[in-house]
Amino acid sequence: MSFLAKSDLSLSILLDELDEITRADSAIVTQGLSAAEAEARAYLYDSYDTEAIFAASGTARHAMVLQCCVDMAIYRIVAACQAGISMDDRKERYDAAKSWFKSVAKMENYADLPRRTVTKQVHIRYGSKDKRENYF
């Protein structure tokens, strides 16, 4: 089951408006939802357990992650359709969501998200031996 559903978009846009923008094409909505979730995963992957975060459903989902994903998805959907509407508000919300994800990933903002378990890192040494000097 996906983290986002079409019904979640009603947090930021009326579903009637969404159907009008996409001309009721569910493929555009599905693509926008998938792209937003993938972008959010990319921001959070290094520090947080993204499998646990995005496996949650219903009210168990983190509210801020959900809202930011919805804003990112709507921006992508509206941008894909080019319905002749003002993109200023959507662009601002998209940029705000992106900056929130970046600050959470850098640990600048607190987010009550499950942390990624630390695994033993294997260090690889690379380089060469010291330069040999030949004397004749």
Side-chain angles (χ1 to χ4, degrees):
M1 181 176 200
S2 181
F3 180 73
L4 291 172
K6 183 179 178 180
S7 60
D8 295 326
L9 298 178
S10 65
L11 295 171
S12 293
I13 193 170
L14 294 173
L15 293 180
D16 293 338
E17 290 177 357
L18 182 67
D19 286 339
E20 184 179 331
I21 291 168
T22 61
R23 294 186 178 107
D25 186 359
S26 62
I28 295 171
V29 175
T30 304
Q31 176 61 29
L33 294 173
S34 297
E37 183 178 334
E39 186 174 358
R41 280 179 184 267
Y43 283 123
L44 299 176
Y45 180 77
D46 287 338
S47 303
Y48 297 98
D49 185 4
T50 54
E51 293 302 319
I53 294 168
F54 292 101
S57 61
T59 58
R61 297 177 291 184
H62 191 275
M64 193 63 186
V65 173
L66 178 63
Q67 182 62 52
C68 287
C69 285
V70 165
D71 289 338
M72 293 171 121
I74 291 174
Y75 173 76
R76 291 183 175 282
I77 291 167
V78 172
C81 292
Q82 300 176 357
I85 61 174
S86 175
M87 291 286 291
D88 296 337
D89 179 51
R90 294 296 168 199
K91 178 68 175 158
E92 287 175 15
R93 291 176 71 125
Y94 174 78
D95 289 339
K98 209 163 72 166
S99 67
W100 184 82
F101 277 122
K102 286 180 180 178
S103 68
V104 167
K106 290 180 184 176
M107 307 284 183
E108 294 172 353
N109 281 345
Y110 174 74
D112 188 21
L113 298 171
R115 302 277 308 174
R116 187 174 192 75
T117 57
V118 178
T119 58
K120 183 179 177 187
Q121 295 182 352
V122 177
H123 296 283
I124 300 173
R125 182 175 181 268
Y126 61 94
S128 62
K129 295 251 183 201
D130 294 334
K131 184 177 178 182
R132 220 171 91 177
E133 296 186 27
N134 295 326
Y135 297 99
F136 293 101

